[in-house]
Every structure is written in structure tokens, then in C-alpha cells.
Amino acid sequence: MLDLPEITITARDKAFPFDAVGRPAAALSATLDDFLTPVLALRRSALDHNLATMARFCREHGLALAPHVKTTMSPEIAEAQLERGAWALTLASPSQVRAFRSLGARRIVLANELTDPQAIRWLGAELARDPGFTCYCYVDSLDGVELLEKELGQRTRPLPVLVELGVPGGRTGVRDLAALRSLAERVRASEALELAGIGGFEGIIGGTPAAELLANVRGYLRRLRDAADELAGNGEFVVTVGGSAFPEVVVDELGPRWQAGRAIRVVLRSGCYVTHDSLVYEDYRTIVGTEYRTLPLRPSLELWSRVLSCPEPGLAILDFGKRDTGVDAGFPVPLHRIRRDTHEIEPAPPGGLIALNDQHAHFRGGELAVGDRVAFGVSRPCTTFDKWRLVPVFDDRYVLCGTVRTLF
């Protein structure tokens, strides 16, 4: 488990009440009404539901979970994932690995190639210093292998690496099975490295309509499966995939029927499941639901804002923008409203966002009044959490029941 220092509210923590500054977060008593706007609110019941649902899904289908912590970079959320049986934590960069290693993380998957010489030397020193620490990283080239060997030097513990299979036009990863096979043999011949398995990411694969997308994902997973059949030895062999968008398809192709009792550990790296969202990942659940019984995740993030101005009929300007929410996967969607003279939550009026500036949101549609509060569901939590140093957690009555920090 992780070592979590106490949180003290500072003036840099957006949205927290003025009188909370300097106080321990654990001692803070407040409701949503006490917070400044905009405020990113994390709903405890939905968070707990998602944590339990994914843990149960993996347990029932013979999968291990190494949640991609780069989604939230929150040690509190990562701790909750570990408490529910996560096998490891996945991270995306050496800096992220260092941050969670400083909190005592024991098993990490760096789901990326490691080519920074300073980071390679640091990781090698950590492995030598602590026999209980394990870190896997990706490799997709002979140059990458040689760079790792050069910077690691002769150490008593080889670095476990996962040969990555990519897709044409995608990101990292070798593009075909022949290249993957050749690279795996080169890793096996290395004294500084250990072939621990193979990895990839199916979430980058495209295709329309939905049936074509699912077929493309299935084809990629089968290529990974074929590679694992050829390369796996007698010891544990890791096969890791994303698992945020298509976990049911992963079960079909890489689940217990294929594993057949062999020492193959299939690892999902899903990160966004923990908070889910109100648009892009919700859409993925709909796509998967055309063929499977969907994994019932719940959006847990709400961005509460306040109307600043109604300068034209049908146009309201709210007090949040790109500094507060990600927009790379679509604008946030309206969920609830609290009128300025009440405390009652009601459905948001019809309409939606038409533009976002740094600190202003343009809402066109149903009538809003200056001072009204409106809650929006975010799309793609990965690019929303990085806008917040400290996020309040609320129960279903919007009473504060915790906080989660981020380490971006």
C-alpha cells in the first residue's frame, strides 16, 4: 500500500472555501454550497461502484488489473484500487513512476518505451536497492534494447520488459509479428533484460460502424494472442492491454478459455473506468453493448459552475473553461441546475455548450439566470484531473466526505 501524507488546504487549491485555507482536509466540514465555482466534484457512491465493479469483473474473468494511474495521478484513488486487489499500478512517464515510487509503490508497469538515460539509471538503481520493487517497461526496437543495456550496465537483477505490438498509423510498438518475434529473441539473449511478456493498446484502433470497430479490435487482440502462444515459456508470461473501452472483447479473446490454465497473466491497464465519464467512454459502453452485456460503470465527475452573464437572449456565460476541464473528446454535457435563490437540484435546461475559452463557457439553449449553478458531466477524465490539485469528494447529499489530491 502507499504512504499518504496528510493533506492541508492551501490558497492554491481551487474552489475550496476561503475559511478552509490552512486547515487539515480531514477536519473540514462543508457542503457543495460552501465551495467556490467552478468546482470539480467527485461523487463517492459512483466512485465506489466503479472500483467494486471492475474488481469483480477482473476476478470473475481471470484477469489482473494494473490501473493506468496517469488518468487521475491521485494517490488516494490508487490506494483504493490497490485495496480492491489491483496487481500493479500503470504509469506513462519516468516522472510519474518516480512520484508513485516515492510513495512506496511496489509493482509498476511503465506502459511506454524507456529511452531517457537518466531515468534508466535511476530505475536500475531502484531495482538494485529494493528487492521487493518490480517495474516493467516496454521496448519496440533494437535501438531501445541497446540503450537499456548500455545505461543499466551489469546488475544482479535484470529489468523485466514487455515487447510492444503496435498498429499501422498508431503510436509506439512494432508493426508486425515477425518484428515482434525477432525483438523478443534479442531480449531473451540480453543479460541486462528479461522478457516478461508482451503488451499493446487496442484503444487507439478505429473503425466505423461499430461492428467494424469491434472486428478490428478483435483482430488486434488475436495477433497478441498468437504472439503469446509462440513466446510464452514455463514461467509467468504477462500479456497486457488497455481495457478501458473494450474489456468484454478482451475477455472473449484473452480470457480463461484461451489461458487454459497456463502461467499467462492477462493484465488490463484501464484507467478511466474508476471515474468513467459522461460522453466518450459512455459511448464506448454503448458500442460494446451492441454485442455484449455491458460493464455497468457510472459517471462520477461533475463540474459545477455558475452563470456570470446572460448578454443575449438564449446565451449564458458560465465561469469555467479550458483551465478547468478537458475538451479534447468533446464539450462537457449539462446535467443539473440549482437556481440562485434555492438549494434544490433539478435537471439542467435544454441546450448545451457551443464554445469554451480559458475561463468562460458559452451555453446556448434553455433559459438560465445570472447566479444559477449548473453541473456538467465531463468527457475523458484524463485531461480534466490535470487541471486540479485537490478534488473534493461528496456523498449523495453533496456533503463533503473526503478529498483526493493529484500529482501532475
Side-chain angles (χ1 to χ4, degrees):
M1 296 304 169
L2 303 178
D3 179 17
L4 303 181
E6 183 180 81
I7 298 173
T8 298
I9 309 298
T10 75
R12 295 180 57 202
D13 295 319
K14 293 195 299 185
F16 278 78
F18 284 102
D19 62 3
V21 174
R23 296 169 57 190
L28 188 61
S29 178
T31 69
L32 179 66
D33 292 344
D34 298 313
F35 279 75
L36 309 174
T37 55
V39 56
L40 184 66
L42 182 56
R43 299 287 300 275
R44 169 67 72 182
S45 59
L47 175 69
D48 288 345
H49 168 84
N50 294 341
L51 287 165
T53 297
M54 183 59 86
R56 182 172 60 251
F57 178 84
C58 290
R59 188 169 57 250
E60 291 176 350
H61 295 290
L63 307 176
L65 180 64
H68 210 323
V69 179
K70 62 93 177 172
T71 298
T72 67
M73 281 301 289
S74 169
E76 286 77 23
I77 293 178
E79 177 78 353
Q81 293 169 312
L82 290 169
E83 288 175 349
R84 288 163 176 81
W87 174 74
L89 301 178
T90 298
L91 294 156
S93 72
S95 293
Q96 293 176 0
V97 172
R98 180 176 62 180
F100 274 85
R101 179 62 182 149
S102 72
L103 299 174
R106 306 296 288 165
R107 184 184 289 120
I108 291 173
V109 177
L110 173 57
N112 219 337
E113 278 62 27
L114 181 60
T115 61
D116 185 305
Q118 181 181 170
I120 296 170
R121 292 193 296 270
W122 172 83
L123 181 56
E126 283 294 293
L127 292 170
R129 182 181 65 82
D130 184 354
F133 171 56
T134 300
C135 184
Y136 302 79
C137 73
Y138 284 2
V139 66
D140 71 352
S141 68
L142 294 175
D143 286 342
V145 169
E146 292 172 1
L147 183 56
L148 288 171
E149 289 176 326
K150 174 186 175 183
E151 300 301 333
L152 287 171
Q154 296 298 317
R155 296 184 181 274
T156 56
R157 292 180 63 198
L159 173 67
V161 298
L162 307 170
V163 179
E164 184 184 11
L165 178 66
V167 296
R171 302 188 301 209
T172 54
V174 298
R175 295 319 201 224
D176 59 70
L177 292 183
L180 185 141
R181 185 184 308 114
S182 176
L183 187 60
E185 292 307 313
R186 173 64 177 83
V187 172
R188 278 203 169 116
S190 174
E191 295 183 2
L193 308 177
E194 172 193 359
L195 180 65
I198 57 176
F201 180 50
E202 73 288 357
I204 202 171
I205 296 172
T208 55
E212 178 185 327
L213 172 59
L214 291 175
N216 291 344
V217 169
R218 192 182 296 279
Y220 173 75
L221 294 173
R222 287 177 177 174
R223 299 211 317 274
L224 268 178
R225 189 178 69 187
D226 291 344
D229 283 335
E230 182 175 343
L231 296 175
N234 294 325
E236 180 174 271
F237 192 82
V238 172
V239 179
T240 178
V241 294
S244 281
F246 311 108
E248 295 92 342
V249 186
V250 173
V251 169
D252 263 6
E253 301 298 336
L254 302 175
R257 284 182 301 174
W258 169 68
Q259 296 170 29
R262 294 176 293 172
I264 292 177
R265 182 183 295 275
V266 177
V267 179
L268 293 187
R269 303 189 312 275
S270 175
C272 292
Y273 84 91
V274 70
T275 60
H276 200 45
D277 71 3
S278 297
L279 191 58
V280 64
Y281 285 101
E282 185 70 8
D283 287 347
Y284 280 136
R285 294 289 82 219
T286 301
I287 290 171
V288 175
T290 62
E291 188 171 338
Y292 301 91
R293 187 177 70 178
T294 60
L295 190 65
L297 302 174
R298 299 175 186 171
S300 65
L301 290 173
E302 295 177 354
L303 181 61
W304 282 90
S305 60
R306 200 177 305 265
V307 178
L308 297 172
S309 174
C310 297
E312 302 170 10
L315 176 66
I317 307 298
L318 296 102
D319 64 354
F320 76 96
K322 297 176 184 177
R323 302 295 187 184
D324 307 299
T325 181
V327 296
D328 57 312
F331 288 151
V333 296
L335 302 174
H336 319 297
R337 169 172 65 178
I338 300 176
R339 297 177 188 267
R340 69 185 180 202
D341 296 325
T342 75
H343 298 281
E344 299 299 320
I345 297 176
E346 61 184 65
L353 296 175
I354 59 171
L356 251 70
N357 309 129
D358 281 0
Q359 307 288 178
H360 295 88
H362 303 239
F363 182 92
R364 177 75 73 180
E367 186 174 335
L368 290 170
V370 171
D372 285 356
R373 283 177 288 170
V374 183
F376 289 82
V378 306
S379 179
R380 221 175 108 74
C382 299
T383 50
T384 296
F385 269 101
D386 64 349
K387 312 294 193 295
W388 299 84
R389 295 178 69 248
L390 191 63
V391 178
V393 183
F394 294 98
D395 65 18
D396 288 338
R397 296 176 297 127
Y398 289 97
V399 175
L400 185 70
C401 60
T403 56
V404 298
R405 83 197 88 191
T406 68
L407 302 178
F408 290 101

